[in-house]
């Protein structure tokens, strides 16, 4: 009888040890998982070609601000911005839009145009650590000088992220491909998480996208993005390094009535 | 008679032409040779390590930036709030109203706020950089094209304590060349250490003390000896205790 009790106690004590070990293991695993989750960067990002700097809204920023405010993005890549041109009545469209949204704006000039400047831009909830506009190459057949606007931002969590806006040439796939290769040379230089948004003027099956953007994670799907009632996919949101990021949600905002492109918005995560 | 009329008309046209030209001049009080070598900076601050604005009324500052021409306007401690429910960005609001390009010299995040200074320019820029120095301190610099084709690198930073100063001095020295014009803010207690770090001969250091005896900070200017402080005037702006320091820095 005593012997049986001893065996029973021994089994019980072994069981206790195992359950303690299991509990410890489970605790450690859940701790490491929560730590990994706390290191993850989750952001809402948008790319939007505003059609000749708001031509369809008579250059008023209010309809753009009202639309963007509904989606509350952390960063926005913008294309087709005018800075004090004749056609936009000499206004600084981007700073006005930034003021309407209380976001930090930065403009990247691609060309001088109509007495002012024309180019791309970024709006950010957080201030920029670094800003640089780099011209892209203009191979034979290029219709217009193009550029890439690179920004680096330190998030409140202390993590740094690179957010980039561009607008590639629409002439030929060869020209677009060369510009995309230049983008890769400029951007893929370290492990800092990158989000690239823009109007690539290229469909998914073109060499520009299918070949040259292979190193990138595509945050968007192939749903059309242009014109306002869309039939063609030419606007994109990409992430890098591709194995460290994922799309949580993605949306094409069609028929806004304020541009010939649909804004695209994605909730994304970097590990 | 006809000749007299023509002379009067020509004189009137000449006068009108000269007056128009004067209205557009960024430094109307300076002789021509100095306009091309002087940088005018408006530096708005409380010099007390406090937020620039206590209310959402920025009208006095906007009006002054619009009326008084300048190459650079600095809004020291024009903090922003990034919390979605109460987002505020006075720097961008002021820039939009004053028709300036806003850049932000970031210092730190503090709960849902971003602390730093606004840098307002009359031109778009191709690059800018905030280099973190140590906790709560970063070195901001941006290339600016001023009068007569002079390119400068305008820089700013704020030293609140000795640790930031110790880490920041080598960074300032590394970046200082004949193009660099640094206009920063330091705690009053750090003045003697700044003087030791930037001795006359190798550097040009100027300290601007506020009239308000309760102020805890000073403005300091660091350049190479090729630059000099031409003049500085402190002007009270609005009724909420904000001062503007009109600083003219001259290339010698």
């Amino acid at each position: 009888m005593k012997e049986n009790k001893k065996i029973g106690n021994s089994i019980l004590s072994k069981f206790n040890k195992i359950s303690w070990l299991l509990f410890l293991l489970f605790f450690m695993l859940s701790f490491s998982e929560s730590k990994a989750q706390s290191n993850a960067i989750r952001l809402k990002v948008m790319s939007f070609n505003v059609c000749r700097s708001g031509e369809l809204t008579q250059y008023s920023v209010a309809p753009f601000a009202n639309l963007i405010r509904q989606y509350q993005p952390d960063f926005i890549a913008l294309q087709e911005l005018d800075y004090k041109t004749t056609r936009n009545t000499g206004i600084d469209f981007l700073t006005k839009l930034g003021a309407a949204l209380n976001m930090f704006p930065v403009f990247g000039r691609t060309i001088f145009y109509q007495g002012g400047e024309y180019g791309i831009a970024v709006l950010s909830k957080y201030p920029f650590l670094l800003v640089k506009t780099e011209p892209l190459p203009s191979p034979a057949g290029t219709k217009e000088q193009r550029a890439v606007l690179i920004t680096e931002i330190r998030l409140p969590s202390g993590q740094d992220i690179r957010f980039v806006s561009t607008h590639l040439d629409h002439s030929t796939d060869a020209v677009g491909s060369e510009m995309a290769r230049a983008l890769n040379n400029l951007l893929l230089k370290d492990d800092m998480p990158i989000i690239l948004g823009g109007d690539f003027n290229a469909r998914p099956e073109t060499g520009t996208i299918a070949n040259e953007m292979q190193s990138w994670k595509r945050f968007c799907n192939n749903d059309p993005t242009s014109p306002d009632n869309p039939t063609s996919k030419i606007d994109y949101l990409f992430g890098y390094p591709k194995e460290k990021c994922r799309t949580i949600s993605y949306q094409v905002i069609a028929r806004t009535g304020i541009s010939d492109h649909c804004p695209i918005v994605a909730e994304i995560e970097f590990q | 008679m006809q000749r007299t009329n023509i002379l009067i008309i020509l004189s009137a046209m000449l006068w009108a032409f000269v007056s128009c030209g004067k209205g557009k001049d960024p430094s109307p009080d300076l002789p021509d040779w100095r306009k091309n070598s002087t940088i005018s900076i408006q530096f708005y601050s409380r010099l007390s390590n406090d937020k620039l604005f206590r209310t959402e009324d920025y009208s006095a500052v906007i009006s002054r930036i619009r009326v008084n021409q300048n190459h650079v306007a600095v809004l020291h401690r024009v903090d922003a709030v990034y919390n979605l429910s109460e987002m505020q960005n006075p720097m961008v609001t002021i820039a939009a109203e004053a028709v300036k390009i806003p850049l932000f010299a970031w210092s730190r995040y503090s709960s849902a706020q971003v602390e730093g200074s606004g840098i307002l320019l009359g031109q778009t820029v191709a690059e800018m950089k905030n280099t973190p120095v140590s906790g709560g301190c970063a070195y901001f610099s941006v290339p600016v094209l001023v009068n007569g084709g002079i390119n400068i690198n305008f820089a700013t930073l704020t030293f609140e304590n000795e640790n930031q100063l110790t880490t920041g001095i080598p960074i300032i020295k590394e970046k200082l060349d004949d193009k660099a014009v640094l206009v920063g803010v330091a705690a009053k207690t750090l003045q003697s250490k700044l003087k030791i770090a930037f001795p006359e001969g190798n550097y040009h250091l100027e300290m601007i003390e506020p009239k308000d005896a309760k102020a805890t900070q000073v403005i300091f200017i660091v350049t190479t000896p090729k630059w000099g402080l031409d003049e500085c005037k402190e002007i009270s702006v609005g009724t909420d205790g904000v001062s503007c320091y009109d600083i003219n820095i001259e290339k010698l």
Side-chain angles (χ1 to χ4, degrees), chain B residues 183-215:
Chain B
V183 183
V185 169
K188 275 185 175 175
T189 51
L190 300 173
Q191 282 185 89
S192 58
K193 291 201 164 60
L194 275 169
K195 282 176 187 160
I196 294 165
F198 299 105
E200 279 301 316
N202 297 329
Y203 304 96
H204 189 93
L205 173 72
E206 293 278 355
M207 300 277 189
I208 299 167
E209 295 236 21
K211 286 177 195 161
D212 183 358
K214 282 183 278 178

Side-chain angles (χ1 to χ4, degrees), chain A residues 72 83-84 92 95 98-99 101-105 107 109 117 125-133 154-156, chain B residues 80 82 84 87-89 91-92 95-96 99-102 104 106 109 114 122 124-130 132:
Chain A
Q72 302 179 340
Y83 172 73
K84 295 185 176 177
D92 176 358
T95 304
L101 292 164
N102 286 307
M103 295 177 87
F104 292 95
F107 174 82
R109 180 185 67 231
E117 299 172 28
K125 250 174 82 177
Y126 311 107
F128 305 105
L129 272 192
L130 177 143
V131 167
K132 197 160 177 53
T133 306
R154 178 154 302 170
L155 300 170
Chain B
Y82 62 85
L84 273 177
M87 270 177 91
Q88 276 180 30
N89 203 325
M91 172 191 75
V92 186
V99 198
K100 295 280 183 180
I101 291 289
F104 196 74
W106 173 82
Y109 286 107
V114 193
T124 62
V125 298
E127 58 183 302
M128 61 137 266
K129 194 172 184 185
N130 277 300

Side-chain angles (χ1 to χ4, degrees), chain B:
Chain B
M1 187 66 180
Q2 267 184 336
R3 194 174 286 174
T4 317
N5 281 348
I6 289 167
L7 272 173
I8 290 166
I9 290 164
L10 277 174
S11 309
M13 281 171 70
L14 187 69
W15 180 82
F17 178 75
V18 169
S19 312
C20 286
K22 214 172 183 182
K24 285 179 183 172
D25 198 318
S27 319
D29 299 331
L30 298 171
D32 280 343
W33 66 270
R34 281 179 57 197
K35 281 176 205 168
N36 290 337
S37 60
T38 302
I39 300 158
S40 56
I41 297 159
Q42 288 181 4
F43 202 101
Y44 294 85
S45 180
R46 293 180 181 277
L47 291 181
S48 62
N49 204 19
D50 197 6
K51 273 167 62 167
L52 187 62
F53 296 108
R54 290 175 181 148
T55 68
E56 288 176 38
D57 179 10
Y58 319 128
S59 54
V61 170
I62 291 166
S63 165
R64 191 154 199 285
I65 293 171
R66 285 184 79 113
V67 172
N68 297 279
Q69 301 252 9
N70 58 77
H71 297 113
V72 182
V74 181
L75 307 170
H76 182 237
R77 283 294 310 273
V78 64
D79 305 349
V81 180
Y82 62 85
N83 199 8
L84 273 177
S85 57
E86 47 181 345
M87 270 177 91
Q88 276 180 30
N89 203 325
M91 172 191 75
V92 186
T93 306
I94 292 167
E97 293 290 325
V99 198
K100 295 280 183 180
I101 291 289
L103 302 168
F104 196 74
W106 173 82
S107 292
R108 64 157 72 87
Y109 286 107
S110 171
S111 56
Q113 289 197 41
V114 193
E115 287 183 15
S117 298
I119 314 297
L120 306 186
L121 303 174
Q123 59 194 265
T124 62
V125 298
E127 58 183 302
M128 61 137 266
K129 194 172 184 185
N130 277 300
T131 307
V133 171
S134 67
C137 177
Y139 180 96
F140 168 93
S141 78
V142 61
V144 181
L145 179 66
V146 292
N147 295 341
I150 301 177
N151 282 298
I152 66 159
N153 283 321
F154 179 80
T156 190
L157 85 172
T158 298
F159 289 133
E160 293 166 2
N161 56 52
E162 207 169 323
N163 183 39
Q164 292 173 346
L165 186 84
T166 311
T167 324
I169 285 169
I171 294 172
I172 295 175
K173 287 183 175 175
E174 181 199 318
K175 292 176 186 290
L176 198 72
D177 58 18
D178 288 341
K179 282 185 175 179
V181 174
L182 168 69
V183 183
V185 169
K188 275 185 175 175
T189 51
L190 300 173
Q191 282 185 89
S192 58
K193 291 201 164 60
L194 275 169
K195 282 176 187 160
I196 294 165
F198 299 105
E200 279 301 316
N202 297 329
Y203 304 96
H204 189 93
L205 173 72
E206 293 278 355
M207 300 277 189
I208 299 167
E209 295 236 21
K211 286 177 195 161
D212 183 358
K214 282 183 278 178
T216 57
Q217 296 174 315
V218 293
I219 294 173
F220 70 97
I221 301 167
V222 182
T223 60
T224 66
K226 293 205 171 176
W227 295 86
L229 178 66
D230 182 46
E231 65 175 340
C232 177
K233 280 183 282 187
E234 182 184 339
I235 291 135
S236 182
V237 181
T239 54
D240 194 28
V242 173
S243 288
C244 176
Y245 300 82
D246 282 338
I247 302 166
N248 284 334
I249 301 171
E250 190 184 357
K251 189 156 197 178
L252 303 172

Side-chain angles (χ1 to χ4, degrees), chain A residues 34-82:
Chain A
S34 73
K35 202 178 171 192
Q37 273 171 0
S38 70
N39 284 337
I41 303 172
R42 193 178 273 214
L43 295 162
K44 201 175 224 190
V45 293
M46 181 183 265
S47 184
F48 194 4
N49 179 323
V50 295
C51 184
R52 296 181 286 280
S53 209
E55 190 181 73
L56 302 184
T57 64
Q58 286 75 51
Y59 309 105
S60 165
V61 300
F64 289 92
N66 292 339
L67 176 82
I68 291 167
R69 209 176 281 121
Q70 290 173 46
Y71 295 91
Q72 302 179 340
D74 295 291
F75 307 115
I76 313 165
L78 295 159
Q79 300 85 38
E80 292 199 14
L81 273 300
D82 281 10

Side-chain angles (χ1 to χ4, degrees), chain A:
Chain A
M1 191 70 176
K2 267 185 182 175
E3 196 62 26
N4 281 349
K5 206 174 178 182
K6 231 182 210 179
I7 291 165
N9 279 344
S10 148
I11 290 168
L12 209 65
S13 113
K14 267 185 190 164
F15 180 75
N16 273 346
K17 273 181 189 165
I18 289 165
S19 55
W20 268 110
L21 275 172
L22 279 171
F23 175 75
L24 205 66
L25 192 69
F26 175 75
F27 178 77
M28 282 167 74
L29 274 173
S30 61
F31 178 74
S32 68
E33 195 171 311
S34 73
K35 202 178 171 192
Q37 273 171 0
S38 70
N39 284 337
I41 303 172
R42 193 178 273 214
L43 295 162
K44 201 175 224 190
V45 293
M46 181 183 265
S47 184
F48 194 4
N49 179 323
V50 295
C51 184
R52 296 181 286 280
S53 209
E55 190 181 73
L56 302 184
T57 64
Q58 286 75 51
Y59 309 105
S60 165
V61 300
F64 289 92
N66 292 339
L67 176 82
I68 291 167
R69 209 176 281 121
Q70 290 173 46
Y71 295 91
Q72 302 179 340
D74 295 291
F75 307 115
I76 313 165
L78 295 159
Q79 300 85 38
E80 292 199 14
L81 273 300
D82 281 10
Y83 172 73
K84 295 185 176 177
T85 62
T86 309
R87 73 172 171 189
N88 89 342
T89 65
I91 63 165
D92 176 358
F93 184 90
L94 178 71
T95 304
K96 281 177 177 285
L97 184 58
L101 292 164
N102 286 307
M103 295 177 87
F104 292 95
V106 67
F107 174 82
R109 180 185 67 231
T110 53
I111 53 168
F112 289 103
Y113 186 69
Q114 288 197 358
E117 299 172 28
Y118 172 78
I120 47 187
V122 169
L123 282 170
S124 167
K125 250 174 82 177
Y126 311 107
F128 305 105
L129 272 192
L130 177 143
V131 167
K132 197 160 177 53
T133 306
E134 295 274 7
L136 291 172
S138 298
T142 306
K143 292 253 171 35
E144 191 180 293
Q145 174 67 55
R146 303 287 176 161
V148 56
L149 173 59
I150 304 165
T151 70
E152 287 178 12
I153 297 132
R154 178 154 302 170
L155 300 170
S157 60
Q159 293 149 306
D160 290 345
I161 193 149
R162 203 169 276 139
F163 187 80
V164 182
S165 177
T166 196
H167 187 184
L168 300 190
D169 202 85
H170 56 282
S171 46
T172 65
D173 190 30
V175 168
S177 294
E178 185 155 343
M179 289 184 174
R181 278 194 293 277
L183 270 180
N184 289 333
N185 290 336
L186 283 166
L187 295 172
L188 307 185
K189 55 185 182 182
D190 53 33
D191 284 338
M192 189 188 290
I194 311 173
I195 301 161
L196 164 62
D199 172 0
F200 280 67
N201 272 314
R203 291 169 192 260
E205 67 276 10
T206 58
T208 306
I209 303 298
N211 300 334
E212 305 307 335
M213 300 307 287
Q214 271 182 13
S215 305
W216 297 78
K217 156 81 182 167
R218 208 185 295 175
F219 289 132
C220 48
N221 59 24
N222 283 349
D223 289 350
T225 61
S226 177
D228 189 40
N229 190 8
T231 54
S232 180
K233 165 74 181 176
I234 55 173
D235 300 276
Y236 296 83
L237 281 163
F238 291 103
Y240 181 87
K242 70 194 286 187
E243 66 281 2
K244 289 190 176 170
C245 53
R246 71 184 180 102
T247 308
I248 296 164
S249 67
Y250 171 73
Q251 191 182 354
V252 177
I253 307 159
R255 292 170 289 280
T256 65
I258 59 175
S259 176
D260 59 356
H261 283 249
C262 306
I264 55 174
V265 60
E267 203 178 344
I268 56 107
E269 188 179 80
F270 278 92
Q271 284 297 337

